Amino acid sequence: MDATTLARWQFASTTVYHFLIVPLSIGLTALVAVMQTLAYLKRATPAGEVWDRSSRFWGRIMLVIFALGVVTGIVQEFQFGMNWSAYSRFVGDIFGAPLAMEGLIAFFLESTFLGLWIFGRDILTPRLHLASIWLAALGTTISAYFILAANSFMQHPVGLVYDAAKHRVELTSIWKVLFNSTQLVTFPHTILAAFMTGSAILLSVSAWHLRRDGELVDLVHRKVAGLAVGVLLVSVVGVSIVGHIQGQIMTDQQPMKMAAAEALWNTDDHAPFSLFAYADVSQGHNKIDITVPDGLSILAKNRPGATVQGINQVQAAEAAKYGPGSYIPVVWLAYWCFRLMIGFGVLAGLVAFGVFVQWRRGKLTTSPRMLRLATWTVALPLAANSAGWLFTETARQPWLVYGLLKTSSGVSTNVSSGVVLASLIGFSALYGVLGVICFRMVRRIAIEGPATTLPPPPGSDVIDEPVLSLV
Amino acid sequence: MLQGFWFGTIAVLWAGFLMLEGFDFGVGMLLPFVTRTDTDRRIALRSIGPVWDGNEVWLLVAGGATFAAFPEWYASVFSGFYIAFALLLVGLILRGIGIEYRGKAETANGRHWCDRAIVVGSFLPALLLGVAFADFLRGVKMDAGHNMAGGFFDLVTPFGLLGGVVTLTLFLFHGAVFLALRTEGAVAFRAKVAAKRVAPVTAVAAVAFVLWTAGTRGGWLSFLLGAVLVVAFVASLAALWLDRIGLAFSASALVCLLVPVWVFSALWPDVLPARNSAALSLTVHNASSSHYTLVVMTVVALLFTPIVIAYQAWTYWVFRARVGAASVGHGGYEETVVGRLRHAASVGTDGESPAEPR
């Protein structure tokens, strides 16, 4: 394999891995903050005590996951320069700005206040301690904003001028980059997906305990399950609505991406929504295609008679605009990733709805099959996130920056394929081992469940290790 | 003008990183030398526990700021030093996971693996940073597109290795003084001994490196800074012998701050000198972003840097108490949660855990 292919595999593997962790940590940090807020508001009551134990228990799980997100995040920051130096030279004037802002504004905030939260429980006042977790959660969200603004620039470059002498793009408006129309839908879509993911892991673990202990279950799991179902249902609806708007913007800005997502080979003014397709790429049509009439036209333009451009027509238009060559991404990958993203997301919503219904019927603890199913909830948004991420990045190909720079022109020319292969293998092995360790640790803590009593308050004579300490 | 400001800002970010993360690396590397028991190790690690992650962000921001202000520099260095950065990343990953997972490991074996990860993960960056700085000073081979030629072993020269020895031993010293200042009991005592042992090596390496560099690069200003650096180190050593630990730490912090400032002063106006032809060197002018980008980043930096420094300083104030056996409790994770549950379940035991837990 050549260096470009290897560098792409490395970027894909490290980024998909990182993006398994990040939505969990964004969602969990905010949800732990919510639990701790409830504990604070209801302090000195039995409900407050339950929320306090919930926030400590879930805080421990959040920290195990968060640590993996932190260390894999450093790789992301360096990788642009290591594997993609030609890209970095080309877009650095614009792309570097949100990355630097992310570090200065978000990373410092989340890391510093997370440290304060972990070790400051007995030192800070309860109010300051609560503020610490909220500031850490705010840091994770701001971080998502800046990195998605950088990614949105790659999907839909704005606020730039091309300098031919230096062969690079230069920034003309930071506001256009930070408030890119693509970004304004991508950010809520991703953050809502993070809340889905965070609440899904809450539901998974709570359901496991509810199934095991039935009526005798620790109140923590009942309360957390309620919180999880509520947040999950709201965020599934939100993520779908935003995703719909996002799809329309995408149809407009990257017509090839929508055409590939639907395996729509030829422009159609009553475009159907494809349910199952098997394409013959060399012939430029589908061999098998099961469709919903007018479905895609409605999805893309909100009208059954709306014209949606097909792959063959977009290819001809782009070849005329950018010169000869193929502008068609890997269609089956785009098609199936798009469906898996939506499918897994909807499934997560259905599971949450099922739990909600059983709850309202008062049969939650007596529905072992429902609870067994709900234990697997967390896998659904994780799979949906990966599919969505793979879709948005691979269906942009062959472009690295849409319409401006092709992926093949972005790779480092002075890094040999042997070196990239070695680091690809090395990081894959390291990530694999860490993934197993992290999963087993989360599983163990989750199965153990929360402490049944709270540690004594600070100032009492008993010396006790804070439950959430790292060392 | 703005290029100069950003050159200086990136020097300051590196300075912050070396001063803060320098002692974190030192503590990590010293783990086998200053600790005997598990409690010792938890004391040593607790001293950096609340702050190490925030300290590491200085490196990320230095990288991000270089990307934003000098994209050519970022692209040339990160692709040219590929293997060095890959090893650095492996080190940072191992160390971060080691620190964060140690307290949650279930078995003594798991904790030992975390300890190993922390030691290796602190050693690698401490060595590689010095090698990288030395190679910046020495210059690299570049083509007209500013792509670095040559492989990993072109960067591992005697001069490069000497630079690595300087940062490695400096961080050992800085970390030892930090432990002497921030911990109590046996750990603090052993750390003081370790600082005194490593100091002569650091001093000799630093003097040799400053002199060697002065012979090849930089003007009177960088030589002056190099001299101040050496004097500050000697002052730190003197304070250590007089048992003025606070003073010794301030001086060694100053040394760490001065290392990147001195390196950058010797580089100016280059950011990455080309050894094969001065015309191919990356300078603050040909490597920088457009004026508009620099203005935007300047506004952001001036607004947020003071806020960051304020809350990080406040963090150190919050955790100012020295770390001793009392602050890390009796046992690790098992003795807290599971131990409490077992305690609740079993009658007649007093819940005391042995000094060296399972």
Side-chain angles (χ1 to χ4, degrees):
Chain A
M1 271 193 273
D2 61 344
T4 307
T5 311
L6 289 167
R8 285 186 64 185
W9 273 106
Q10 181 153 39
F11 199 87
S13 57
T14 54
T15 310
V16 168
Y17 189 95
H18 184 60
F19 198 62
L20 286 173
I21 309 296
V22 167
L24 279 172
S25 32
I26 293 175
L28 273 180
T29 312
L31 287 164
V32 169
V34 168
M35 293 177 201
Q36 194 173 334
T37 307
L38 291 168
Y40 179 77
L41 293 175
K42 298 180 180 176
R43 60 190 179 279
T45 68
E49 189 255 9
V50 171
W51 282 118
D52 195 0
R53 288 193 297 120
S54 312
S55 74
R56 288 167 193 256
F57 169 60
W58 279 102
R60 283 165 52 80
I61 292 178
M62 178 267 281
L63 288 176
V64 173
I65 296 169
F66 206 104
L68 199 54
V70 167
V71 296
T72 54
I74 319 169
V75 177
Q76 299 305 107
E77 183 96 8
F78 285 10
Q79 197 170 183
F80 298 111
M82 290 168 71
N83 278 335
W84 303 97
S85 62
Y87 165 78
S88 301
R89 291 179 211 278
F90 184 77
V91 296
D93 195 83
I94 301 170
F95 193 83
L99 255 67
M101 292 180 197
E102 184 189 20
L104 183 63
I105 300 170
F107 289 165
F108 272 127
L109 195 66
E110 66 179 33
S111 58
T112 308
F113 282 94
L114 203 60
L116 274 163
W117 181 72
I118 298 165
F119 293 95
R121 194 179 280 276
D122 296 337
I123 302 173
L124 300 171
T125 63
R127 203 186 282 248
L128 266 177
H129 188 247
L130 179 61
S132 299
I133 186 75
W134 276 113
L135 285 168
L138 180 68
T140 64
T141 309
I142 297 174
S143 163
Y145 192 91
F146 283 116
I147 199 63
L148 288 170
N151 182 264
S152 295
F153 175 82
M154 298 165 76
Q155 310 290 351
H156 178 56
V158 286
L160 66 112
V161 61
Y162 177 65
D163 183 336
K166 290 180 176 165
H167 183 57
R168 69 173 188 186
V169 288
E170 293 183 350
L171 186 61
T172 56
S173 165
I174 187 68
W175 305 115
K176 281 189 183 161
V177 170
L178 290 181
F179 300 105
N180 189 342
S181 57
T182 318
Q183 160 70 356
L184 294 180
V185 286
T186 304
F187 174 70
H189 188 68
T190 313
I191 284 294
L192 285 165
F195 282 119
M196 250 180 90
T197 319
S199 51
I201 193 176
L202 300 189
L203 183 57
S204 284
V205 174
S206 306
W208 188 88
H209 282 278
L210 282 163
R211 191 171 78 87
R212 190 189 64 174
D213 297 342
E215 284 301 318
L216 298 171
V217 74
D218 190 329
L219 260 181
V220 163
H221 303 301
R222 267 183 204 276
K223 292 249 182 200
V224 170
L227 176 70
V229 167
V231 174
L232 189 48
L233 285 174
V234 170
S235 44
V236 165
V237 172
V239 96
S240 312
I241 295 170
V242 177
H244 178 59
I245 303 169
Q246 199 178 10
Q248 300 186 335
I249 288 182
M250 180 180 82
T251 311
D252 191 34
Q253 293 172 346
Q254 297 181 68
M256 182 61 92
K257 199 184 250 182
M258 185 47 120
E262 291 305 321
L264 179 73
W265 289 91
N266 291 302
T267 300
D268 196 340
D269 56 7
H270 280 273
F273 181 83
S274 171
L275 293 173
F276 179 88
Y278 180 74
D280 184 341
V281 176
S282 58
Q283 298 287 318
H285 66 79
N286 294 327
K287 281 182 175 166
I288 308 168
D289 205 352
I290 303 164
T291 60
V292 178
D294 292 345
L296 179 57
S297 288
I298 295 170
L299 199 68
K301 303 269 171 86
N302 284 344
R303 278 190 299 120
T307 306
V308 180
Q309 287 183 283
I311 294 170
N312 294 326
Q313 284 72 28
V314 181
Q315 160 65 23
E318 295 215 344
K321 191 173 174 189
Y322 303 113
S326 170
Y327 296 90
I328 305 174
V330 182
V331 175
W332 66 265
L333 189 64
Y335 180 89
W336 284 111
C337 280
F338 193 64
R339 267 147 198 76
L340 291 176
M341 171 185 76
I342 296 171
F344 283 128
V346 169
L347 270 181
L350 288 177
V351 172
F353 187 70
V355 173
F356 175 74
V357 169
Q358 292 301 82
W359 192 316
R360 289 305 301 262
R361 293 169 66 200
K363 292 187 173 177
L364 185 63
T365 50
T366 52
S367 322
R369 267 180 303 180
M370 186 70 238
L371 292 172
R372 188 192 288 271
L373 182 68
T375 304
W376 290 94
T377 314
V378 67
L380 300 170
L382 286 178
N385 292 340
S386 298
W389 180 237
L390 281 173
F391 165 69
T392 198
E393 292 298 290
T394 63
R396 188 189 60 234
Q397 304 299 328
W399 296 111
L400 184 48
V401 184
Y402 187 77
L404 288 173
L405 184 78
K406 287 189 180 169
T407 305
S408 53
S409 314
V411 75
S412 298
T413 52
N414 56 336
V415 180
S416 71
S417 52
V419 169
V420 185
L421 182 63
S423 89
L424 173 61
I425 293 170
F427 279 104
S428 303
L430 182 61
Y431 277 25
V433 171
L434 294 181
V436 171
I437 295 173
C438 175
F439 176 77
R440 291 179 54 175
M441 201 172 263
V442 168
R443 189 167 173 272
R444 193 193 78 216
I445 297 172
I447 288 175
E448 260 162 25
T452 47
T453 54
L454 285 171
S460 67
D461 292 339
V462 188
I463 296 161
D464 204 342
E465 170 87 334
V467 177
L468 288 163
S469 71
L470 283 183
V471 287
Chain B
M1 166 64 191
L2 277 180
Q3 277 109 337
F5 172 80
W6 275 94
F7 185 77
T9 303
I10 291 166
V12 168
L13 290 167
W14 277 107
F17 175 67
L18 260 68
M19 179 184 82
L20 297 170
E21 192 85 320
F23 61 70
D24 294 339
F25 289 143
V27 169
M29 289 187 286
L30 286 164
L31 218 48
F33 305 108
V34 299
T35 63
R36 300 277 184 275
T37 64
D38 188 66
T39 305
D40 282 355
R41 281 187 277 281
R42 284 190 295 119
I43 291 171
L45 290 172
R46 173 59 75 82
S47 71
I48 58 168
V51 291
W52 76 268
D53 191 13
N55 296 344
E56 191 172 275
V57 174
W58 286 83
L59 175 70
L60 289 180
V61 177
T66 310
F67 199 174
F70 301 101
E72 287 284 322
W73 187 14
Y74 170 84
S76 294
V77 165
F78 280 78
S79 61
F81 289 70
Y82 191 100
I83 295 175
F85 275 112
L87 290 173
L88 178 82
L89 285 172
V90 170
L92 293 178
I93 290 173
L94 289 176
R95 187 185 67 119
I97 290 295
I99 295 175
E100 297 283 309
Y101 283 11
R102 191 185 192 284
K104 296 190 173 65
E106 219 177 359
T107 59
N109 194 31
R111 281 191 289 275
H112 286 156
W113 275 104
C114 287
D115 291 342
R116 282 178 202 135
I118 294 167
V119 175
V120 173
S122 304
F123 176 83
L124 271 177
L127 178 75
L128 289 166
L129 285 170
V131 176
F133 276 147
D135 283 317
F136 294 163
L137 288 167
R138 181 168 170 267
V140 296
K141 287 185 183 154
M142 274 190 290
D143 66 15
H146 302 304
N147 289 305
M148 272 172 62
F152 180 62
F153 290 100
D154 294 310
L155 304 173
V156 188
T157 59
F159 183 67
L161 286 176
L162 181 61
V165 172
V166 171
T167 48
L168 182 72
T169 56
L170 177 61
F171 292 164
L172 278 169
F173 177 80
H174 192 46
V177 177
F178 175 81
L179 280 175
L181 180 70
R182 297 283 296 110
T183 63
E184 290 170 342
V187 175
F189 177 77
R190 290 189 207 111
K192 220 181 296 178
V193 174
K196 287 175 183 170
R197 283 206 186 133
V198 76
V201 187
T202 318
V204 171
V207 170
F209 191 61
V210 167
L211 289 177
W212 195 343
T213 307
T216 54
R217 274 203 81 82
W220 61 269
L221 178 67
S222 74
F223 184 72
L224 188 71
L225 282 169
V228 173
L229 193 154
V230 171
V231 170
F233 187 77
V234 173
S236 175
L237 204 53
L240 183 67
W241 246 277
L242 296 170
D243 222 27
R244 302 278 300 274
I245 307 295
L247 208 58
F249 180 75
S250 308
S252 81
L254 180 66
V255 177
C256 291
L257 282 172
L258 279 174
V259 168
V261 176
W262 165 68
V263 168
F264 274 56
S265 75
L267 284 173
W268 174 267
D270 288 352
V271 291
L272 189 63
R275 209 145 41 83
N276 42 337
S277 159
L280 296 175
S281 291
L282 278 175
T283 68
V284 290
H285 303 291
N286 69 13
S288 91
S289 283
S290 64
H291 181 71
Y292 176 75
T293 300
L294 291 180
V295 170
V296 169
M297 291 314 300
T298 303
V299 172
V300 172
L302 291 177
L303 273 176
F304 287 96
T305 313
I307 300 175
V308 169
I309 292 176
Y311 65 62
Q312 278 212 337
W314 179 66
T315 308
Y316 281 90
W317 172 253
V318 168
F319 296 110
R320 66 192 175 280
R322 278 178 183 243
V323 182
S327 24
V328 297
H330 293 286
Y333 158 75
E334 281 222 325
E335 280 64 43
T336 59
V337 178
V338 181
R340 209 178 1 256
L341 294 177
R342 283 191 189 135
H343 184 218
S346 64
V347 186
T349 58
D350 60 2
E352 257 324 309
S353 47
E356 184 79 87
R358 292 163 298 274

